[in-house]
Amino acid sequence: MALCCLLRPPRWHLRPPPLALLGPDRSLRTTTKGKGKKKAREGCSLPDPSWEERLANAVTPLWRLPYQEQLQVKYESQRKILQTLASRLEELGIDAQKPGGLCCPLQPVVPSPIINGYRNKSTFSVNRGPDGNPKTVGLYVGTGKARNIVCVKANHMKNMPSTHKQVAQCYEEFISRSPLDSCILFHEGGHWRELVVRTTSRGHTMAIITFHPQELGQEALATQKALLREFFTCGPGAVCALTSLYFQESTMTRCSHEQSPYQLLHGEPHIFEELLGLKFRISPDAFFQVNTAGAEVLYQAVGKLCQTTGDTVLLDICCGTGTIGLSLAHQVSKVIGVEVVEKAIEDAKWNAVFNGISNCEFHSGKAEAVLPQLLASWEDARPLVAVVNPSRAGLHYRVVRAIRNCRTIRRLLYISCKPEGEAMRNFLELCCPPDPRKKLTGEPFAPVLAIPFDLFPHTVHCELVLLFTR
């Protein structure tokens, strides 16, 4: 225990807690919009659902269904997406209709090995709760447009582990005693903002607290950081047993490490996870699939679908900490990873060295800047297989164009958590007839197989792996 904690009373006792406290937690910055709100009410057996039920219906709308029924709902959803893709391809003059109106065969949804508490990352907001408490730590119900956003504690959420809920509860306890206000609207002042909690199967826990500095000077900021450290190391928050405690000053909605560095207040700079027999280092803002057990199943399938040989080169686009490339490195001659988050690339390089993998190289930068340059000078005669795992925003057009125009790439796996969104645009760009005006001169791809993986039980989402060949 720190000497300071033994010599003087902790400062968090200087201010009494608020009169009303619920229980906290949050994971996804999810709001209930139009249809979602209607579905939330329809899915509830009570005429006037509680706030907890509203939140569950908004974030995890399938939580009431038996798991096998959840999988069937998701299968039907993916089937409609493939039907839409087939119709869109038909509009482009491509005969893509297969049995059932699909663009390619659709396999059953692969279930998650873990159904409850599977998330390894949760993001909690700070805002007014149902009781009016402006320092409620939880998830959103409502919309900004309707001006009816309410922050509801997430203790009851099925997809979130108890560790995340405990850290959120402690964070609320801390800010409830702080003389500084929560930051709900930037221009209205306030300081305390969101909390991100990351955990691993090795028992590691990382907490990242975002703080709006407003007009505070360096001395005042140092005081707040010291109070946070004290609370989570030798105060009530010590029960969380944090491996890492980070603090980020941010005047923007989203801020990268390069824009505003993550400041380590306590513990280790990284947490570690094991996946498919490999050890992975994770930084505060590095991408890692939120369902570790489900990711293992996904990556094993990806390895088989790639149909690599000993001389294959694997192109891992949007590689994060290198999980896909490193897990497949043993079955290819070389792995080339590209990722925009610089810290994630540092993790990927460390992961390769630590695991004794020497046939990988990782490039930091935007894929639309790195990939065209990389492939334009590609003269390697070895087979080249590409795996892309972009965010919901999909791939930049220049990335798709570089893939299309690289004749060596004959096989492409597209992994998407929202195939009905921007990914659909990418699918059409990959498969459309050559168009010199758009500089799409390469031979088009064709979808040949789709496999959904349920990495998000209780929600309507899943990861769709779509295999393209040419």
Side-chain angles (χ1 to χ4, degrees), residues 110-113 276 291-302 453 455:
V110 179
S112 171
L276 295 176
N291 183 338
T292 304
E296 286 194 311
V297 177
L298 171 64
Y299 296 159
Q300 285 175 325
V302 167
F453 292 80
L455 266 61

Side-chain angles (χ1 to χ4, degrees), residues 218-243:
Q218 289 304 310
E219 184 176 349
L221 284 169
T223 298
Q224 295 307 314
K225 288 185 277 190
L227 287 171
L228 263 176
R229 183 188 306 112
E230 186 177 354
F231 179 88
F232 279 104
T233 56
C234 50
V239 67
C240 300
L242 295 181
T243 308

